[in-house]
Amino acid sequence: MKRFLPTTLKSLWEKPPCGSVVDVHGWIRSLRKSKNVCFAMVSDGTCQQPIQVVATPEQAQLLSYGASVKIQGKLEISKKAALGKQQYELLAEKVDLYGKVNNDYPIQKKNLATEFLRQHPHLRVRTAKQNDLFRLRSDTLEGVRSFLAKSDFIETNPPLLTSSDCEGAGEVFLVTPHSKKKDSTNSSEFSNKDEQSPSFFGTPTFLTVSTQLHLEALALGMSRVYTITPAFRAENSHTSRHLAEFWMLEVELAFIETMDALAGVVEDLIKYLVQYLKKKGYHREHWNHLMNEWHRISYTEAIDILKNSGYTWHDPPAWGNDLSSEHERYLTDVYIKGPVFVTDYPASIKPFYMKPSSNDTVAAMDLLVPQVGELVGGSLRKDSIALEEVPKGLEWYYEMLQQANTPHGGFGLGIERLLAFLEGNATNVRETIPFPRSSGSIFA
């Protein structure tokens, strides 16, 4: 396929053809013009390292910051290579201008505030920082798939439209048919169909919050399955950890019988991912501590730790209440100083499908990590279930468990939270997804 496509900087740097004439396509990240020579840093977004182009003032007449270009020239060892700076530079022979930016182009070379860049999601990818973060996202997903493939998991595609609320929280988006107004040229003008008419699907239908229940059905025939898919939650939250549209890795395994085994899969996955990213040239200082053994404590132990901390809490910890973000941060950032699995939550605060671990707890686990808090949630699933326990509309789930059910369990991992954790520096999840959607915000 490469013979049909232009050479990328990523492939160029893998084996630099020094002394050869090459074509470089990309955008000008910086530009310095003088009387006798012009230096342009060009990036095509496929890797972190741009290329320095050396051009004559005549060649550079039409060049400007942000412009898209094609430059043909000879790749040579840079005169500054001995100083530990750029190893190679392109001596321009031919310069073609594809397009220029306007005078009001908002992405300038100066440091731009994160909030400012969020107002320009269609352009912010042209900044080096966002470009790097989106490549980290791509390589992270590649690493996740690599681990799961090596562990005999099968990637599947459960539906995004569902008739149930898997999590039971009621924070779902209702899917309703709309049609464009007749004779309207405005793409945003739609008319509601008769609200009293039956649903398009014959029953109320929602965008999925989790594909878990469908994944369980697939696992009970394929043993190990996963999906990487969008999920949707109508939660009116504006924290650094929440989005209305986000991506989830969801995993289900048949023939798994203990929480230790399930937590072990999660721990092995993330440790493998860190090593995978390091081999690709990524590194963050806080990754070094992830190779140590991760802690496991029960929910009851966590509550006792929080109560005995001496802290004054906004939400005082109490057995039977969920852990708040301040509780999670204390456990990871102060008490454990690293990742920690919290297991065996009260049954009263967890969904119907979780397997009991005692009279009043279920075999559930959350992975909490520094800066982010909850990163993974999972559980062992019930071996059997009574029909009256199943929410209306999920009778098929009840029937499924009656037909040769096996011990099984699974977990969900938020991709944007994972990236925020990997990147560090208190990264907001809105920076880890190209076009963030949240309450009151759907800019582009």
Side-chain angles (χ1 to χ4, degrees):
M1 186 175 67
K2 286 187 176 181
R3 65 193 179 98
F4 297 108
L5 300 174
T7 299
T8 64
L9 287 179
K10 181 181 179 181
S11 62
L12 187 72
W13 294 137
E14 287 173 356
K15 192 175 181 180
C18 190
S20 299
V21 175
V22 298
D23 290 341
V24 167
H25 302 71
W27 294 267
I28 297 177
R29 285 268 180 88
S30 67
L31 187 65
R32 290 186 293 119
K33 292 182 178 181
S34 65
K35 183 178 180 180
N36 299 316
V37 69
C38 171
F39 298 97
M41 298 300 289
V42 177
S43 171
D44 67 358
T46 61
C47 64
Q48 186 177 36
Q49 184 180 354
I51 188 168
Q52 177 169 276
V53 175
V54 182
T56 65
E58 292 74 26
Q59 291 171 327
Q61 279 183 352
L62 297 178
L63 298 185
S64 59
Y65 172 76
S68 54
V69 295
K70 173 186 176 182
I71 300 176
Q72 185 179 83
K74 182 180 287 188
L75 189 68
E76 296 285 7
I77 295 177
S78 171
K79 294 178 181 178
K80 294 185 178 181
L83 301 177
K85 298 185 178 181
Q86 63 268 6
Q87 286 292 108
Y88 299 93
E89 58 190 14
L90 189 70
L91 305 182
E93 297 178 357
K94 183 181 179 182
V95 175
D96 291 323
L97 177 69
Y98 285 134
K100 298 174 66 175
V101 297
N102 298 328
N103 292 332
D104 59 353
Y105 181 58
I107 309 301
Q108 297 300 316
K109 188 182 178 183
K110 63 182 180 180
N111 288 331
L112 299 171
T114 300
E115 191 60 44
F116 174 82
L117 289 173
R118 283 185 202 150
Q119 298 170 24
H120 304 277
H122 54 305
L123 296 173
R124 67 176 181 167
V125 69
R126 302 190 194 186
T127 65
K129 183 178 179 180
Q130 283 297 146
N131 202 289
D132 292 346
L133 194 47
F134 293 153
R135 279 197 311 276
L136 174 63
R137 182 184 179 105
S138 174
D139 288 330
T140 294
L141 294 176
E142 184 181 283
V144 166
R145 286 187 166 98
S146 173
F147 172 84
L148 293 169
K150 290 176 182 292
S151 303
D152 297 332
F153 283 85
I154 299 167
E155 184 167 8
T156 61
N157 302 108
L160 299 182
L161 297 176
T162 178
S163 59
S164 65
D165 174 11
C166 174
E167 298 296 324
E171 298 166 330
V172 293
F173 289 102
L174 178 67
V175 177
T176 305
H178 279 62
S179 60
K180 190 175 178 181
K181 288 182 178 180
K182 290 183 178 180
D183 304 322
S184 173
T185 59
N186 188 340
S187 62
S188 65
E189 288 186 4
F190 290 86
S191 61
N192 287 320
K193 291 197 171 184
D194 183 3
E195 296 293 345
Q196 303 303 315
S197 65
S199 163
F200 181 88
F201 294 99
T203 188
T205 303
F206 312 96
L207 293 176
T208 187
V209 174
S210 169
T211 63
Q212 178 209 308
L213 302 182
H214 294 99
L215 272 183
E216 285 189 56
L218 295 169
L220 295 177
M222 302 177 79
S223 291
R224 301 178 187 180
V225 297
Y226 77 96
T227 187
I228 299 175
T229 189
F232 308 86
R233 191 185 295 272
E235 186 175 17
N236 190 17
S237 177
H238 297 276
T239 75
S240 63
R241 307 188 306 162
H242 291 91
L243 292 165
E245 177 188 23
F246 51 98
W247 285 72
M248 291 288 292
L249 163 68
E250 296 193 87
V251 175
E252 285 292 323
L253 309 88
F255 311 111
I256 190 167
E257 302 187 46
T258 67
M259 285 297 300
D260 273 348
L262 187 61
V265 173
V266 174
E267 184 172 347
D268 286 351
L269 165 63
I270 296 178
K271 287 182 175 179
Y272 174 94
L273 174 61
V274 168
Q275 295 295 94
Y276 185 90
L277 292 172
K278 284 183 176 180
K279 290 178 182 177
K280 280 188 165 284
Y282 295 95
H283 181 72
R284 305 293 185 271
E285 191 64 32
H286 66 286
W287 293 2
N288 295 333
H289 306 295
L290 296 179
M291 293 300 108
N292 300 328
E293 186 174 353
W294 294 2
H295 291 76
R296 289 165 169 75
I297 60 175
S298 70
Y299 167 88
T300 301
E301 290 172 322
I303 294 297
D304 290 340
I305 290 168
L306 295 168
K307 284 183 174 180
N308 296 325
S309 66
Y311 271 55
T312 300
W313 303 101
H314 181 268
D315 294 312
W319 203 98
N321 293 341
D322 213 343
L323 299 178
S324 68
S325 59
E326 63 175 340
H327 301 151
E328 295 172 351
R329 296 284 180 87
Y330 176 82
L331 291 171
T332 58
D333 297 13
V334 179
Y335 188 79
I336 298 293
K337 293 184 172 61
V340 57
F341 288 100
V342 180
T343 64
D344 299 293
Y345 281 78
S348 60
I349 61 173
K350 290 297 182 180
F352 72 95
Y353 49 74
M354 294 188 175
K355 185 176 183 176
S357 57
S358 73
N359 289 335
D360 52 5
T361 62
V362 289
M365 62 105 183
D366 287 342
L367 172 63
L368 311 181
V369 297
Q371 296 191 34
V372 171
E374 181 188 343
L375 176 61
V376 177
S379 75
L380 301 180
R381 317 310 190 191
K382 284 184 175 177
D383 295 326
S384 61
I385 196 168
L387 182 58
E388 57 268 21
E389 295 180 76
V390 178
K392 184 178 179 182
L394 288 176
E395 290 78 11
W396 65 267
Y397 184 82
Y398 165 79
E399 180 189 358
M400 177 187 75
L401 297 189
Q402 310 309 305
Q403 308 295 337
N405 188 23
T406 70
H408 64 288
F411 61 87
L413 180 155
I415 298 300
E416 287 74 30
R417 289 191 182 187
L418 173 61
L419 288 161
F421 170 59
L422 291 172
E423 182 65 10
N425 299 318
T427 298
N428 192 307
V429 293
R430 289 173 177 81
E431 274 59 75
T432 67
I433 190 169
F435 293 90
R437 273 74 168 98
S438 58
S439 174
S441 174
I442 189 165
F443 177 83

